[in-house]
Amino acid sequence: MDDPQLTDDEVVSSVLGGRDRDFEILVRRYSQRIIHFVARMTEDGDEARAIAQDVFLKIFEHLPYYRRENNFSAFIFKIARNMTLNWLKRRKRTVFFSRLLGHELDRLPLRRDPPRLSPMEQGEREQALTRQLRRLPVEQRLALVLKVYLEFSYKQIAGVTGWSVPKIETLISRAKARLRKGIRLQESGNEPVVEAREK
Amino acid sequence: MNCRMTIRRLSAFQDKELAAPQVRQVELHLRECGACRAEWDALRDLEQRLLGLPPAAVDPFFSTRIMAGLRPRPAGKNRLLQAAAFAALFITVFLAGFFLQKSALDRQDAERLPAVTFTSVLLERQDLGLLTVQEDTLRQFTRKRP
Ligand SMILES: [Zn+2]
């Protein structure tokens, strides 16, 4: 179905010319990366798939606004970024209100884990890392996810976020330092109880 | 390069974002400094852990579901038709406004200013539900009222 000869821009032209079915070529080209991106940003697999689906519907809707300069990747990741950040904001509000009401969401593991005596199993290590990722301030997480999981260069990240390269460098460096500190504390059983504040 | 500078550049070094001379400086420092090498190992360990997280599963019907959920977009020709329809509607409303004003003027006494008359006719017609007047259009007229 996918014709590797066609550039993204050529596929976009075809879709805008009335061949809606060709949009599937773009979905197939980018679905894996978009889902991966959203999943790493939200750390919630089910939600990630639902958000990724909405992202593609939004991309289709906004296709006429895309300026064809062979930078389709930046265009769609901008949409993915906006929709994911909106979802994170909504979740933050939900968590805030549920805390006000005196109960916490099950899906956010905010309580201190009991200190472990045995070395952590692989699954537990992954969970611990996921938890640390989720606690990163959202700008740091966005920059890190684009770098580590999407293998974007700082310049490409700038294209998606609109930030300067020095800012991106700082955000990623801080994210790594923060993750390392969090992991160290977690493994020594001195994990902080609450989520990190923004910035 | 000293330790402070090296540590500061280590993350960009890992991300392959440093220029060639800086890369050489960092590499040279790492070769001779145990403390910075420990930092470097810790960063590499973190990256391994991050990359070790299982990727999100993509179900095989993902693209099929997307394609089923698309709302058909009006094709190029249809869009032209839509634009023509909007233009026709606009002209109709404009002419209707013009004739409403004209008939109102005929009925009103000649002393009233045309702008006032036009506005009051618009307002009256809107009140009667005969005409929908944009708020800002109306404001432009009402501002000119004496
Ligand atoms: Zn050193």
Side-chain angles (χ1 to χ4, degrees), chain A residues 30 33-39 41-42 51-52 54-56 58-59 73-88 142 146 150 160:
Chain A
Y30 285 98
R33 274 177 282 173
I34 291 286
I35 293 175
H36 200 37
F37 166 74
V38 181
M41 285 300 292
T42 58
I51 295 168
D54 290 344
V55 166
F56 277 104
K58 187 73 123 201
I59 291 169
S73 169
F75 172 75
I76 66 170
F77 275 98
K78 262 185 223 167
I79 293 178
R81 176 206 67 176
N82 288 345
M83 294 185 75
T84 309
L85 294 188
N86 285 342
W87 183 85
L88 287 169
L142 178 60
L146 288 172
L150 281 302
V160 173

PDB file of all heavy atoms in Angstrom, chain A residues 30 33-39 41-42 51-52 54-56 58-59 73-88 142 146 150 160:
ATOM      1  N   TYR A  30       3.773   6.871  10.029  1.00  0.00           N
ATOM      2  CA  TYR A  30       4.055   7.585  11.281  1.00  0.00           C
ATOM      3  C   TYR A  30       3.378   7.018  12.532  1.00  0.00           C
ATOM      4  O   TYR A  30       3.677   7.475  13.627  1.00  0.00           O
ATOM      5  CB  TYR A  30       3.661   9.061  11.127  1.00  0.00           C
ATOM      6  CG  TYR A  30       4.646   9.833  10.277  1.00  0.00           C
ATOM      7  CD1 TYR A  30       4.398  10.075   8.932  1.00  0.00           C
ATOM      8  CD2 TYR A  30       5.851  10.290  10.818  1.00  0.00           C
ATOM      9  CE1 TYR A  30       5.319  10.756   8.144  1.00  0.00           C
ATOM     10  CE2 TYR A  30       6.767  10.972  10.042  1.00  0.00           C
ATOM     11  CZ  TYR A  30       6.496  11.206   8.703  1.00  0.00           C
ATOM     12  OH  TYR A  30       7.414  11.882   7.942  1.00  0.00           O
ATOM     13  N   ARG A  33       5.692   5.786  15.433  1.00  0.00           N
ATOM     14  CA  ARG A  33       6.423   6.849  16.136  1.00  0.00           C
ATOM     15  C   ARG A  33       5.503   7.742  16.946  1.00  0.00           C
ATOM     16  O   ARG A  33       5.852   8.171  18.041  1.00  0.00           O
ATOM     17  CB  ARG A  33       7.232   7.684  15.128  1.00  0.00           C
ATOM     18  CG  ARG A  33       8.597   7.074  14.860  1.00  0.00           C
ATOM     19  CD  ARG A  33       9.367   7.846  13.834  1.00  0.00           C
ATOM     20  NE  ARG A  33       8.899   7.535  12.479  1.00  0.00           N
ATOM     21  CZ  ARG A  33       9.314   8.183  11.395  1.00  0.00           C
ATOM     22  NH1 ARG A  33      10.156   9.178  11.499  1.00  0.00           N
ATOM     23  NH2 ARG A  33       8.875   7.830  10.204  1.00  0.00           N
ATOM     24  N   ILE A  34       4.311   8.027  16.384  1.00  0.00           N
ATOM     25  CA  ILE A  34       3.381   8.893  17.125  1.00  0.00           C
ATOM     26  C   ILE A  34       2.900   8.181  18.393  1.00  0.00           C
ATOM     27  O   ILE A  34       2.875   8.764  19.482  1.00  0.00           O
ATOM     28  CB  ILE A  34       2.170   9.290  16.236  1.00  0.00           C
ATOM     29  CG1 ILE A  34       2.623  10.227  15.111  1.00  0.00           C
ATOM     30  CG2 ILE A  34       1.072   9.938  17.061  1.00  0.00           C
ATOM     31  CD1 ILE A  34       2.939  11.640  15.532  1.00  0.00           C
ATOM     32  N   ILE A  35       2.551   6.910  18.268  1.00  0.00           N
ATOM     33  CA  ILE A  35       2.077   6.173  19.443  1.00  0.00           C
ATOM     34  C   ILE A  35       3.192   6.077  20.481  1.00  0.00           C
ATOM     35  O   ILE A  35       2.961   6.274  21.679  1.00  0.00           O
ATOM     36  CB  ILE A  35       1.574   4.760  19.049  1.00  0.00           C
ATOM     37  CG1 ILE A  35       0.314   4.880  18.194  1.00  0.00           C
ATOM     38  CG2 ILE A  35       1.293   3.921  20.285  1.00  0.00           C
ATOM     39  CD1 ILE A  35      -0.204   3.563  17.662  1.00  0.00           C
ATOM     40  N   HIS A  36       4.388   5.809  20.003  1.00  0.00           N
ATOM     41  CA  HIS A  36       5.532   5.711  20.900  1.00  0.00           C
ATOM     42  C   HIS A  36       5.727   7.035  21.650  1.00  0.00           C
ATOM     43  O   HIS A  36       5.917   7.062  22.869  1.00  0.00           O
ATOM     44  CB  HIS A  36       6.775   5.385  20.068  1.00  0.00           C
ATOM     45  CG  HIS A  36       7.887   4.801  20.871  1.00  0.00           C
ATOM     46  ND1 HIS A  36       7.676   3.929  21.905  1.00  0.00           N
ATOM     47  CD2 HIS A  36       9.234   4.945  20.779  1.00  0.00           C
ATOM     48  CE1 HIS A  36       8.846   3.587  22.418  1.00  0.00           C
ATOM     49  NE2 HIS A  36       9.804   4.194  21.762  1.00  0.00           N
ATOM     50  N   PHE A  37       5.661   8.115  20.895  1.00  0.00           N
ATOM     51  CA  PHE A  37       5.829   9.451  21.494  1.00  0.00           C
ATOM     52  C   PHE A  37       4.758   9.709  22.552  1.00  0.00           C
ATOM     53  O   PHE A  37       5.065  10.089  23.688  1.00  0.00           O
ATOM     54  CB  PHE A  37       5.756  10.518  20.394  1.00  0.00           C
ATOM     55  CG  PHE A  37       5.594  11.918  20.903  1.00  0.00           C
ATOM     56  CD1 PHE A  37       6.661  12.585  21.494  1.00  0.00           C
ATOM     57  CD2 PHE A  37       4.369  12.564  20.814  1.00  0.00           C
ATOM     58  CE1 PHE A  37       6.512  13.878  21.980  1.00  0.00           C
ATOM     59  CE2 PHE A  37       4.211  13.857  21.291  1.00  0.00           C
ATOM     60  CZ  PHE A  37       5.287  14.514  21.876  1.00  0.00           C
ATOM     61  N   VAL A  38       3.497   9.491  22.172  1.00  0.00           N
ATOM     62  CA  VAL A  38       2.402   9.796  23.110  1.00  0.00           C
ATOM     63  C   VAL A  38       2.494   8.876  24.338  1.00  0.00           C
ATOM     64  O   VAL A  38       2.296   9.317  25.474  1.00  0.00           O
ATOM     65  CB  VAL A  38       1.022   9.650  22.427  1.00  0.00           C
ATOM     66  CG1 VAL A  38      -0.088   9.990  23.409  1.00  0.00           C
ATOM     67  CG2 VAL A  38       0.924  10.547  21.209  1.00  0.00           C
ATOM     68  N   ALA A  39       2.832   7.616  24.088  1.00  0.00           N
ATOM     69  CA  ALA A  39       2.907   6.667  25.202  1.00  0.00           C
ATOM     70  C   ALA A  39       3.989   7.078  26.198  1.00  0.00           C
ATOM     71  O   ALA A  39       3.798   7.026  27.409  1.00  0.00           O
ATOM     72  CB  ALA A  39       3.178   5.257  24.675  1.00  0.00           C
ATOM     73  N   MET A  41       5.109  10.064  26.654  1.00  0.00           N
ATOM     74  CA  MET A  41       4.741  11.323  27.295  1.00  0.00           C
ATOM     75  C   MET A  41       3.699  11.087  28.382  1.00  0.00           C
ATOM     76  O   MET A  41       3.724  11.722  29.429  1.00  0.00           O
ATOM     77  CB  MET A  41       4.189  12.324  26.265  1.00  0.00           C
ATOM     78  CG  MET A  41       5.234  12.967  25.380  1.00  0.00           C
ATOM     79  SD  MET A  41       6.461  13.910  26.300  1.00  0.00           S
ATOM     80  CE  MET A  41       5.489  15.278  26.943  1.00  0.00           C
ATOM     81  N   THR A  42       2.749  10.200  28.106  1.00  0.00           N
ATOM     82  CA  THR A  42       1.647  10.012  29.061  1.00  0.00           C
ATOM     83  C   THR A  42       1.924   8.864  30.023  1.00  0.00           C
ATOM     84  O   THR A  42       1.376   8.838  31.115  1.00  0.00           O
ATOM     85  CB  THR A  42       0.339   9.690  28.312  1.00  0.00           C
ATOM     86  OG1 THR A  42       0.541   8.513  27.518  1.00  0.00           O
ATOM     87  CG2 THR A  42      -0.069  10.834  27.407  1.00  0.00           C
ATOM     88  N   ILE A  51      -5.295   8.821  22.241  1.00  0.00           N
ATOM     89  CA  ILE A  51      -4.791  10.154  21.872  1.00  0.00           C
ATOM     90  C   ILE A  51      -4.170  10.098  20.475  1.00  0.00           C
ATOM     91  O   ILE A  51      -4.409  10.974  19.645  1.00  0.00           O
ATOM     92  CB  ILE A  51      -3.747  10.656  22.898  1.00  0.00           C
ATOM     93  CG1 ILE A  51      -4.408  10.857  24.268  1.00  0.00           C
ATOM     94  CG2 ILE A  51      -3.122  11.975  22.439  1.00  0.00           C
ATOM     95  CD1 ILE A  51      -3.432  11.081  25.404  1.00  0.00           C
ATOM     96  N   ALA A  52      -3.384   9.037  20.215  1.00  0.00           N
ATOM     97  CA  ALA A  52      -2.727   8.918  18.909  1.00  0.00           C
ATOM     98  C   ALA A  52      -3.767   8.881  17.792  1.00  0.00           C
ATOM     99  O   ALA A  52      -3.583   9.476  16.727  1.00  0.00           O
ATOM    100  CB  ALA A  52      -1.859   7.665  18.870  1.00  0.00           C
ATOM    101  N   ASP A  54      -6.726  10.300  17.868  1.00  0.00           N
ATOM    102  CA  ASP A  54      -7.213  11.679  17.706  1.00  0.00           C
ATOM    103  C   ASP A  54      -6.187  12.554  16.992  1.00  0.00           C
ATOM    104  O   ASP A  54      -6.546  13.445  16.231  1.00  0.00           O
ATOM    105  CB  ASP A  54      -7.531  12.297  19.078  1.00  0.00           C
ATOM    106  CG  ASP A  54      -8.764  11.659  19.700  1.00  0.00           C
ATOM    107  OD1 ASP A  54      -9.511  10.995  18.952  1.00  0.00           O
ATOM    108  OD2 ASP A  54      -8.976  11.819  20.918  1.00  0.00           O
ATOM    109  N   VAL A  55      -4.916  12.271  17.274  1.00  0.00           N
ATOM    110  CA  VAL A  55      -3.855  13.049  16.623  1.00  0.00           C
ATOM    111  C   VAL A  55      -3.963  12.891  15.104  1.00  0.00           C
ATOM    112  O   VAL A  55      -3.928  13.870  14.367  1.00  0.00           O
ATOM    113  CB  VAL A  55      -2.456  12.599  17.108  1.00  0.00           C
ATOM    114  CG1 VAL A  55      -1.353  13.143  16.200  1.00  0.00           C
ATOM    115  CG2 VAL A  55      -2.213  13.069  18.542  1.00  0.00           C
ATOM    116  N   PHE A  56      -4.152  11.660  14.645  1.00  0.00           N
ATOM    117  CA  PHE A  56      -4.222  11.448  13.191  1.00  0.00           C
ATOM    118  C   PHE A  56      -5.479  12.072  12.582  1.00  0.00           C
ATOM    119  O   PHE A  56      -5.437  12.601  11.464  1.00  0.00           O
ATOM    120  CB  PHE A  56      -4.122   9.959  12.852  1.00  0.00           C
ATOM    121  CG  PHE A  56      -2.697   9.486  12.817  1.00  0.00           C
ATOM    122  CD1 PHE A  56      -2.163   8.737  13.852  1.00  0.00           C
ATOM    123  CD2 PHE A  56      -1.869   9.834  11.760  1.00  0.00           C
ATOM    124  CE1 PHE A  56      -0.840   8.324  13.832  1.00  0.00           C
ATOM    125  CE2 PHE A  56      -0.542   9.430  11.729  1.00  0.00           C
ATOM    126  CZ  PHE A  56      -0.028   8.678  12.764  1.00  0.00           C
ATOM    127  N   LYS A  58      -6.864  14.732  13.685  1.00  0.00           N
ATOM    128  CA  LYS A  58      -6.557  16.163  13.672  1.00  0.00           C
ATOM    129  C   LYS A  58      -5.604  16.496  12.513  1.00  0.00           C
ATOM    130  O   LYS A  58      -5.767  17.520  11.845  1.00  0.00           O
ATOM    131  CB  LYS A  58      -5.927  16.529  15.018  1.00  0.00           C
ATOM    132  CG  LYS A  58      -5.697  17.999  15.247  1.00  0.00           C
ATOM    133  CD  LYS A  58      -6.980  18.728  15.492  1.00  0.00           C
ATOM    134  CE  LYS A  58      -6.985  19.461  16.817  1.00  0.00           C
ATOM    135  NZ  LYS A  58      -8.306  19.755  17.291  1.00  0.00           N
ATOM    136  N   ILE A  59      -4.621  15.624  12.288  1.00  0.00           N
ATOM    137  CA  ILE A  59      -3.673  15.856  11.189  1.00  0.00           C
ATOM    138  C   ILE A  59      -4.442  15.912   9.867  1.00  0.00           C
ATOM    139  O   ILE A  59      -4.223  16.795   9.040  1.00  0.00           O
ATOM    140  CB  ILE A  59      -2.607  14.735  11.135  1.00  0.00           C
ATOM    141  CG1 ILE A  59      -1.678  14.823  12.346  1.00  0.00           C
ATOM    142  CG2 ILE A  59      -1.789  14.817   9.847  1.00  0.00           C
ATOM    143  CD1 ILE A  59      -0.778  13.616  12.523  1.00  0.00           C
ATOM    144  N   SER A  73       7.172  15.777   9.173  1.00  0.00           N
ATOM    145  CA  SER A  73       7.405  15.223  10.508  1.00  0.00           C
ATOM    146  C   SER A  73       7.226  16.299  11.583  1.00  0.00           C
ATOM    147  O   SER A  73       6.560  16.078  12.593  1.00  0.00           O
ATOM    148  CB  SER A  73       8.804  14.624  10.545  1.00  0.00           C
ATOM    149  OG  SER A  73       9.168  14.310  11.842  1.00  0.00           O
ATOM    150  N   ALA A  74       7.822  17.491  11.366  1.00  0.00           N
ATOM    151  CA  ALA A  74       7.677  18.573  12.347  1.00  0.00           C
ATOM    152  C   ALA A  74       6.215  18.970  12.474  1.00  0.00           C
ATOM    153  O   ALA A  74       5.717  19.206  13.582  1.00  0.00           O
ATOM    154  CB  ALA A  74       8.510  19.778  11.936  1.00  0.00           C
ATOM    155  N   PHE A  75       5.514  19.018  11.347  1.00  0.00           N
ATOM    156  CA  PHE A  75       4.098  19.404  11.348  1.00  0.00           C
ATOM    157  C   PHE A  75       3.266  18.450  12.211  1.00  0.00           C
ATOM    158  O   PHE A  75       2.496  18.876  13.067  1.00  0.00           O
ATOM    159  CB  PHE A  75       3.595  19.399   9.898  1.00  0.00           C
ATOM    160  CG  PHE A  75       2.116  19.595   9.729  1.00  0.00           C
ATOM    161  CD1 PHE A  75       1.537  20.850   9.900  1.00  0.00           C
ATOM    162  CD2 PHE A  75       1.292  18.525   9.377  1.00  0.00           C
ATOM    163  CE1 PHE A  75       0.174  21.029   9.734  1.00  0.00           C
ATOM    164  CE2 PHE A  75      -0.071  18.700   9.209  1.00  0.00           C
ATOM    165  CZ  PHE A  75      -0.635  19.959   9.385  1.00  0.00           C
ATOM    166  N   ILE A  76       3.457  17.149  12.012  1.00  0.00           N
ATOM    167  CA  ILE A  76       2.598  16.223  12.749  1.00  0.00           C
ATOM    168  C   ILE A  76       3.021  16.097  14.215  1.00  0.00           C
ATOM    169  O   ILE A  76       2.178  15.918  15.085  1.00  0.00           O
ATOM    170  CB  ILE A  76       2.497  14.827  12.091  1.00  0.00           C
ATOM    171  CG1 ILE A  76       3.827  14.097  12.118  1.00  0.00           C
ATOM    172  CG2 ILE A  76       1.970  14.915  10.682  1.00  0.00           C
ATOM    173  CD1 ILE A  76       3.681  12.659  11.706  1.00  0.00           C
ATOM    174  N   PHE A  77       4.322  16.230  14.475  1.00  0.00           N
ATOM    175  CA  PHE A  77       4.729  16.145  15.880  1.00  0.00           C
ATOM    176  C   PHE A  77       4.302  17.380  16.661  1.00  0.00           C
ATOM    177  O   PHE A  77       4.111  17.317  17.868  1.00  0.00           O
ATOM    178  CB  PHE A  77       6.225  15.857  16.015  1.00  0.00           C
ATOM    179  CG  PHE A  77       6.513  14.388  15.944  1.00  0.00           C
ATOM    180  CD1 PHE A  77       6.932  13.797  14.769  1.00  0.00           C
ATOM    181  CD2 PHE A  77       6.295  13.576  17.044  1.00  0.00           C
ATOM    182  CE1 PHE A  77       7.159  12.431  14.681  1.00  0.00           C
ATOM    183  CE2 PHE A  77       6.514  12.210  16.981  1.00  0.00           C
ATOM    184  CZ  PHE A  77       6.949  11.628  15.787  1.00  0.00           C
ATOM    185  N   LYS A  78       4.148  18.512  15.966  1.00  0.00           N
ATOM    186  CA  LYS A  78       3.605  19.692  16.645  1.00  0.00           C
ATOM    187  C   LYS A  78       2.176  19.413  17.091  1.00  0.00           C
ATOM    188  O   LYS A  78       1.786  19.738  18.207  1.00  0.00           O
ATOM    189  CB  LYS A  78       3.597  20.891  15.687  1.00  0.00           C
ATOM    190  CG  LYS A  78       4.793  21.811  15.864  1.00  0.00           C
ATOM    191  CD  LYS A  78       4.637  23.013  14.964  1.00  0.00           C
ATOM    192  CE  LYS A  78       5.967  23.313  14.307  1.00  0.00           C
ATOM    193  NZ  LYS A  78       5.872  24.255  13.207  1.00  0.00           N
ATOM    194  N   ILE A  79       1.408  18.802  16.202  1.00  0.00           N
ATOM    195  CA  ILE A  79       0.018  18.466  16.550  1.00  0.00           C
ATOM    196  C   ILE A  79      -0.001  17.451  17.692  1.00  0.00           C
ATOM    197  O   ILE A  79      -0.737  17.591  18.663  1.00  0.00           O
ATOM    198  CB  ILE A  79      -0.731  17.938  15.305  1.00  0.00           C
ATOM    199  CG1 ILE A  79      -0.882  19.075  14.282  1.00  0.00           C
ATOM    200  CG2 ILE A  79      -2.087  17.356  15.682  1.00  0.00           C
ATOM    201  CD1 ILE A  79      -1.552  18.676  12.983  1.00  0.00           C
ATOM    202  N   ALA A  80       0.862  16.434  17.571  1.00  0.00           N
ATOM    203  CA  ALA A  80       0.922  15.408  18.623  1.00  0.00           C
ATOM    204  C   ALA A  80       1.324  16.027  19.961  1.00  0.00           C
ATOM    205  O   ALA A  80       0.775  15.704  21.014  1.00  0.00           O
ATOM    206  CB  ALA A  80       1.902  14.317  18.225  1.00  0.00           C
ATOM    207  N   ARG A  81       2.289  16.941  19.898  1.00  0.00           N
ATOM    208  CA  ARG A  81       2.748  17.609  21.117  1.00  0.00           C
ATOM    209  C   ARG A  81       1.590  18.389  21.756  1.00  0.00           C
ATOM    210  O   ARG A  81       1.314  18.246  22.950  1.00  0.00           O
ATOM    211  CB  ARG A  81       3.888  18.569  20.789  1.00  0.00           C
ATOM    212  CG  ARG A  81       4.371  19.383  21.966  1.00  0.00           C
ATOM    213  CD  ARG A  81       4.992  20.690  21.551  1.00  0.00           C
ATOM    214  NE  ARG A  81       3.995  21.586  20.978  1.00  0.00           N
ATOM    215  CZ  ARG A  81       4.236  22.828  20.589  1.00  0.00           C
ATOM    216  NH1 ARG A  81       5.433  23.318  20.686  1.00  0.00           N
ATOM    217  NH2 ARG A  81       3.284  23.573  20.095  1.00  0.00           N
ATOM    218  N   ASN A  82       0.889  19.203  20.951  1.00  0.00           N
ATOM    219  CA  ASN A  82      -0.205  20.015  21.496  1.00  0.00           C
ATOM    220  C   ASN A  82      -1.274  19.151  22.145  1.00  0.00           C
ATOM    221  O   ASN A  82      -1.721  19.432  23.248  1.00  0.00           O
ATOM    222  CB  ASN A  82      -0.856  20.847  20.387  1.00  0.00           C
ATOM    223  CG  ASN A  82       0.055  21.965  19.949  1.00  0.00           C
ATOM    224  OD1 ASN A  82       1.024  22.295  20.632  1.00  0.00           O
ATOM    225  ND2 ASN A  82      -0.229  22.542  18.792  1.00  0.00           N
ATOM    226  N   MET A  83      -1.658  18.081  21.452  1.00  0.00           N
ATOM    227  CA  MET A  83      -2.746  17.265  21.977  1.00  0.00           C
ATOM    228  C   MET A  83      -2.315  16.517  23.235  1.00  0.00           C
ATOM    229  O   MET A  83      -3.084  16.358  24.173  1.00  0.00           O
ATOM    230  CB  MET A  83      -3.247  16.300  20.907  1.00  0.00           C
ATOM    231  CG  MET A  83      -3.896  17.076  19.763  1.00  0.00           C
ATOM    232  SD  MET A  83      -4.629  16.030  18.522  1.00  0.00           S
ATOM    233  CE  MET A  83      -6.109  15.476  19.368  1.00  0.00           C
ATOM    234  N   THR A  84      -1.051  16.097  23.263  1.00  0.00           N
ATOM    235  CA  THR A  84      -0.564  15.382  24.447  1.00  0.00           C
ATOM    236  C   THR A  84      -0.449  16.331  25.634  1.00  0.00           C
ATOM    237  O   THR A  84      -0.832  15.978  26.758  1.00  0.00           O
ATOM    238  CB  THR A  84       0.814  14.751  24.147  1.00  0.00           C
ATOM    239  OG1 THR A  84       0.720  14.014  22.936  1.00  0.00           O
ATOM    240  CG2 THR A  84       1.236  13.826  25.254  1.00  0.00           C
ATOM    241  N   LEU A  85       0.056  17.533  25.392  1.00  0.00           N
ATOM    242  CA  LEU A  85       0.194  18.486  26.497  1.00  0.00           C
ATOM    243  C   LEU A  85      -1.182  18.881  27.040  1.00  0.00           C
ATOM    244  O   LEU A  85      -1.347  19.038  28.246  1.00  0.00           O
ATOM    245  CB  LEU A  85       0.972  19.730  26.059  1.00  0.00           C
ATOM    246  CG  LEU A  85       2.447  19.505  25.693  1.00  0.00           C
ATOM    247  CD1 LEU A  85       3.164  20.824  25.457  1.00  0.00           C
ATOM    248  CD2 LEU A  85       3.185  18.704  26.756  1.00  0.00           C
ATOM    249  N   ASN A  86      -2.154  19.034  26.141  1.00  0.00           N
ATOM    250  CA  ASN A  86      -3.516  19.336  26.606  1.00  0.00           C
ATOM    251  C   ASN A  86      -4.045  18.217  27.480  1.00  0.00           C
ATOM    252  O   ASN A  86      -4.668  18.458  28.517  1.00  0.00           O
ATOM    253  CB  ASN A  86      -4.464  19.543  25.419  1.00  0.00           C
ATOM    254  CG  ASN A  86      -4.238  20.888  24.768  1.00  0.00           C
ATOM    255  OD1 ASN A  86      -3.636  21.782  25.368  1.00  0.00           O
ATOM    256  ND2 ASN A  86      -4.687  21.031  23.538  1.00  0.00           N
ATOM    257  N   TRP A  87      -3.783  16.987  27.055  1.00  0.00           N
ATOM    258  CA  TRP A  87      -4.255  15.843  27.847  1.00  0.00           C
ATOM    259  C   TRP A  87      -3.573  15.839  29.225  1.00  0.00           C
ATOM    260  O   TRP A  87      -4.216  15.603  30.238  1.00  0.00           O
ATOM    261  CB  TRP A  87      -3.957  14.535  27.111  1.00  0.00           C
ATOM    262  CG  TRP A  87      -4.471  13.333  27.831  1.00  0.00           C
ATOM    263  CD1 TRP A  87      -5.725  12.806  27.765  1.00  0.00           C
ATOM    264  CD2 TRP A  87      -3.742  12.517  28.771  1.00  0.00           C
ATOM    265  NE1 TRP A  87      -5.826  11.718  28.587  1.00  0.00           N
ATOM    266  CE2 TRP A  87      -4.618  11.520  29.220  1.00  0.00           C
ATOM    267  CE3 TRP A  87      -2.446  12.535  29.264  1.00  0.00           C
ATOM    268  CZ2 TRP A  87      -4.239  10.545  30.135  1.00  0.00           C
ATOM    269  CZ3 TRP A  87      -2.071  11.570  30.188  1.00  0.00           C
ATOM    270  CH2 TRP A  87      -2.956  10.591  30.613  1.00  0.00           C
ATOM    271  N   LEU A  88      -2.273  16.128  29.233  1.00  0.00           N
ATOM    272  CA  LEU A  88      -1.542  16.143  30.510  1.00  0.00           C
ATOM    273  C   LEU A  88      -2.092  17.234  31.434  1.00  0.00           C
ATOM    274  O   LEU A  88      -2.199  17.036  32.640  1.00  0.00           O
ATOM    275  CB  LEU A  88      -0.044  16.361  30.264  1.00  0.00           C
ATOM    276  CG  LEU A  88       0.713  15.156  29.682  1.00  0.00           C
ATOM    277  CD1 LEU A  88       2.106  15.567  29.241  1.00  0.00           C
ATOM    278  CD2 LEU A  88       0.793  14.015  30.695  1.00  0.00           C
ATOM    279  N   LEU A 142       9.191  16.388  27.470  1.00  0.00           N
ATOM    280  CA  LEU A 142       8.980  16.517  26.030  1.00  0.00           C
ATOM    281  C   LEU A 142      10.307  16.491  25.273  1.00  0.00           C
ATOM    282  O   LEU A 142      10.485  15.746  24.299  1.00  0.00           O
ATOM    283  CB  LEU A 142       8.222  17.822  25.751  1.00  0.00           C
ATOM    284  CG  LEU A 142       7.940  18.173  24.301  1.00  0.00           C
ATOM    285  CD1 LEU A 142       7.102  17.110  23.621  1.00  0.00           C
ATOM    286  CD2 LEU A 142       7.224  19.521  24.212  1.00  0.00           C
ATOM    287  N   LEU A 146      11.573  13.278  22.851  1.00  0.00           N
ATOM    288  CA  LEU A 146      11.873  13.497  21.434  1.00  0.00           C
ATOM    289  C   LEU A 146      13.314  13.103  21.112  1.00  0.00           C
ATOM    290  O   LEU A 146      13.619  12.567  20.061  1.00  0.00           O
ATOM    291  CB  LEU A 146      11.624  14.961  21.049  1.00  0.00           C
ATOM    292  CG  LEU A 146      10.153  15.382  20.978  1.00  0.00           C
ATOM    293  CD1 LEU A 146      10.036  16.891  20.795  1.00  0.00           C
ATOM    294  CD2 LEU A 146       9.415  14.673  19.859  1.00  0.00           C
ATOM    295  N   LEU A 150      12.579   9.306  19.912  1.00  0.00           N
ATOM    296  CA  LEU A 150      12.339   9.613  18.500  1.00  0.00           C
ATOM    297  C   LEU A 150      13.637   9.908  17.763  1.00  0.00           C
ATOM    298  O   LEU A 150      13.652  10.076  16.553  1.00  0.00           O
ATOM    299  CB  LEU A 150      11.381  10.807  18.361  1.00  0.00           C
ATOM    300  CG  LEU A 150       9.874  10.562  18.536  1.00  0.00           C
ATOM    301  CD1 LEU A 150       9.402   9.530  17.532  1.00  0.00           C
ATOM    302  CD2 LEU A 150       9.486  10.155  19.931  1.00  0.00           C
ATOM    303  N   VAL A 160       9.845  21.365  16.393  1.00  0.00           N
ATOM    304  CA  VAL A 160       8.561  20.907  16.933  1.00  0.00           C
ATOM    305  C   VAL A 160       8.092  21.811  18.076  1.00  0.00           C
ATOM    306  O   VAL A 160       6.905  22.087  18.215  1.00  0.00           O
ATOM    307  CB  VAL A 160       8.687  19.441  17.433  1.00  0.00           C
ATOM    308  CG1 VAL A 160       7.429  18.991  18.141  1.00  0.00           C
ATOM    309  CG2 VAL A 160       8.994  18.517  16.269  1.00  0.00           C
TER     310      VAL A 160
END
